Amino acid sequence: MNDFDYKNDHLFCEEVQVETIAREAGTPFYLYSHRTLLRHFRVFDAAFAEVPHIVCFAVKANSNTSILRIFVREGGGMDIVSGGELYRALKAGAEPEKIVYSGVGKRDEEIDFALQTGILMFNVESAQELETINARAERLGVRAGIGLRVNPDVDPQTHPHISTGLRENKFGIDVEASLIAYRQAAGMKHLDIKGVSCHIGSQVTKISPFIDAIARLKELIGRLREGGIMIRYLDLGGGLGITYDRETPPHPSEYARAIIDAAKEMDCTFIFEPGRVIVGNAGALVSRVLYTKGNVGKRFIIIDAGMNDLIRPSLYGSYHKIQPVLRRAERGEITADVVGPICESGDFVAKGRKLPAFERGELLAVMSAGAYGFTMSSTYNSRPRIPEILVRDDRWHVIRKRETWGDLILGEEIPEFMRDK
Ligand SMILES: *Cc1c(COP(=O)(O)O)cnc(C)c1O
């Protein structure tokens, strides 16, 4: 459910007409609904009300500090994957004791920053990383909370590029190796073993892979406890899918019910790292049709947003619904490719899609673009990054300004020898 809807054939985000924003802010832009964001977070959080838990929003899905702030104000924590994300989380007011740090390649400076901040725990992905964190913590005279990211070897049945819980993926440590690594960690003075974590993949639309993963972690936690290693946090990662097209993912309450039942008597505080399920359908990318043309046997709708703004279709072949901002019943339907201005054949939002016969100058909305949209954007083709706009009730707020051409060359320098005398 989301708050993008038509009133008299005009698309609205909550009580704001999308055309009004486009007129004043220009196109393209990302548009988010505060009401949807809040509801999604609350529904997810409430689903686990009966067990101790922390919902750590996956910052990489949408890192805008205003968006993070919404979840912070709801008592949410953050799942970060870099020093930059930690910086953002803190700027948004996140509580360090609700921050978990995931990722296969943490650098020394990033580890130090997290140690100085006093985050809840590092989700450690290799034996070398354990040693590194222990050494950095010793240098700083602190203890690092850690959990191992275990690779449970379950197939999340999602796109291969966003599947992470299989043996062949680069993420985590397999269960047997993790037993050895935990024993090593127990002998390191500057580590405080707190948890076990896993994250099996993204856009998972079935419950069973999560339940399979829990069964493996449950067994592991039992074996660790027998060996005197007390696990207090069970981090189940993120990955719950959403409806882009016709997928039918479980509702967060079904997901929660199944997890709570599967993880009974484990006596742990749960950590969840949802990203997409909270923000995905709370955002749209609004763009204007620049041109339409028909090459032999093929029709193109050329819009002012490109793969640099939204890369998911090019990267994963992802489906995003495309809706007119002004619905007009009288016009016909066409089959066309919706493409951007970038000089790459891979620059498309949709291929061979049945759409209203869009005309030059018209606005359209690329739906479900709230997750991995702006955060994956770039300035390729020297296109300034586009604004992010948050609607709350009948008001809209620019939460990130449109970049300028000047911003594009920020930090660039022409070396002395090339300068005019
Ligand atoms: C990407 C990621 C998430 C969030 O995944 P979603 O599919 O957006 O819920 C959570 N945890 C980790 C470790 C991740 O890498």
Side-chain angles (χ1 to χ4, degrees):
M1 201 174 129
N2 62 59
D3 294 274
F4 294 91
D5 231 324
Y6 291 96
K7 285 177 198 154
N8 296 324
D9 289 331
H10 294 271
L11 186 66
F12 277 70
C13 177
E14 302 192 11
E15 279 76 66
V16 179
Q17 197 170 330
V18 174
E19 289 145 290
T20 308
I21 305 174
R23 201 177 314 119
E24 290 175 38
T27 56
F29 57 90
Y30 275 100
L31 182 59
Y32 310 119
S33 158
H34 183 266
R35 193 178 297 157
T36 310
L37 290 163
L38 205 54
R39 185 175 55 244
H40 286 179
F41 185 88
R42 285 180 177 167
V43 163
F44 193 97
D45 194 35
F48 291 97
E50 66 188 86
V51 292
H53 71 279
I54 312 173
V55 177
C56 294
F57 175 69
V59 174
K60 75 178 192 283
N62 190 317
S63 324
N64 186 290
T65 44
S66 295
I67 304 285
L68 302 183
R69 182 102 189 120
I70 296 172
F71 309 134
V72 166
R73 281 160 47 115
E74 291 295 304
M78 299 284 145
D79 167 44
I80 58 161
V81 294
S82 71
E85 286 192 353
L86 177 53
Y87 180 82
R88 283 180 174 282
L90 295 176
K91 284 283 176 199
E95 299 164 62
E97 58 278 17
K98 291 182 183 169
I99 296 177
V100 294
Y101 188 173
S102 307
V104 281
K106 304 178 187 80
R107 297 162 47 196
D108 289 0
E109 311 87 278
E110 295 178 306
I111 292 169
D112 289 354
F113 180 24
L115 287 170
Q116 282 155 344
T117 301
I119 64 166
L120 175 62
M121 66 174 184
F122 293 84
N123 287 332
V124 179
E125 304 223 12
S126 65
Q128 284 180 2
E129 189 189 326
L130 271 183
E131 285 175 29
T132 306
I133 293 174
N134 184 53
R136 301 311 295 185
E138 180 170 13
R139 251 178 107 250
L140 294 173
V142 295
R143 281 184 92 203
I146 63 115
L148 287 177
R149 173 161 174 187
V150 171
N151 185 331
D153 195 28
V154 300
D155 183 0
Q157 300 167 42
T158 183
H159 189 284
H161 288 179
I162 49 176
S163 148
T164 54
L166 278 170
R167 206 181 291 267
E168 70 232 39
N169 297 129
K170 71 174 176 181
F171 299 99
I173 305 178
D174 65 63
V175 176
E176 287 310 313
S178 79
L179 282 162
I180 299 166
Y182 271 111
R183 243 170 270 135
Q184 288 169 340
M188 297 185 196
K189 282 207 191 65
H190 292 269
L191 299 184
D192 175 12
I193 299 175
K194 289 188 173 170
V196 171
S197 81
C198 79
H199 170 73
I200 58 173
S202 202
Q203 184 54 15
V204 181
T205 53
K206 293 198 173 107
I207 289 182
S208 56
F210 293 108
I211 302 307
D212 294 348
I214 290 175
R216 301 210 178 138
L217 296 187
K218 200 169 179 175
E219 197 206 322
L220 170 65
I221 290 174
R223 287 166 75 183
L224 289 171
R225 284 178 177 164
E226 280 165 24
I229 296 176
M230 291 305 150
I231 297 296
R232 289 160 284 157
Y233 292 91
L234 176 56
D235 181 343
L236 292 170
L240 188 58
I242 62 169
T243 303
Y244 284 99
D245 185 11
R246 274 189 273 265
E247 304 91 336
T248 51
H251 187 271
S253 61
E254 292 172 64
Y255 162 83
R257 186 74 264 143
I259 286 176
I260 293 167
D261 291 345
K264 266 205 203 88
E265 292 136 32
M266 281 171 83
D267 197 23
C268 282
T269 296
F270 289 94
I271 293 172
F272 299 97
E273 304 169 349
R276 190 187 312 271
V277 70
I278 308 286
V279 292
N281 279 324
L285 167 63
V286 179
S287 180
R288 198 177 283 283
V289 176
L290 291 174
Y291 305 103
T292 63
K293 68 174 179 180
N295 289 352
V296 185
K298 192 101 194 156
R299 294 176 85 160
F300 293 98
I301 295 166
I302 301 153
I303 63 174
D304 65 2
M307 65 188 281
N308 70 301
D309 302 308
L310 178 68
I311 204 175
R312 299 189 67 257
S314 311
L315 195 59
Y316 311 125
S318 312
Y319 180 96
H320 285 267
K321 196 168 165 189
I322 296 173
Q323 295 187 347
V325 167
L326 174 60
R327 238 174 6 194
R328 286 182 291 148
E330 77 285 358
R331 70 172 148 195
E333 214 179 43
I334 57 166
T335 299
D337 287 6
V338 180
V339 301
I342 302 268
C343 304
E344 298 276 344
S345 296
D347 178 24
F348 64 91
V349 177
K351 282 202 160 161
R353 183 79 60 87
K354 272 212 173 74
L355 291 165
F358 283 113
E359 288 167 15
R360 168 168 161 79
E362 221 184 314
L363 295 168
L364 54 77
V366 181
M367 306 309 291
S368 311
Y372 308 104
F374 185 88
T375 54
M376 281 191 159
S377 69
S378 75
T379 59
Y380 184 43
N381 275 206
S382 288
R383 291 164 47 82
R385 275 177 300 184
I386 66 179
E388 293 179 282
I389 292 170
L390 179 69
V391 169
R392 180 166 173 263
D393 301 331
D394 58 356
R395 312 199 66 162
W396 55 281
H397 310 268
V398 177
I399 56 172
R400 193 182 207 278
K401 288 194 292 200
R402 189 182 301 282
E403 289 182 354
T404 63
W405 287 325
D407 292 333
L408 290 174
I409 58 166
L410 218 61
E412 289 183 23
E413 209 163 342
I414 294 177
E416 184 75 46
F417 78 93
M418 288 185 208
R419 288 185 203 154
D420 296 329
K421 294 271 152 27

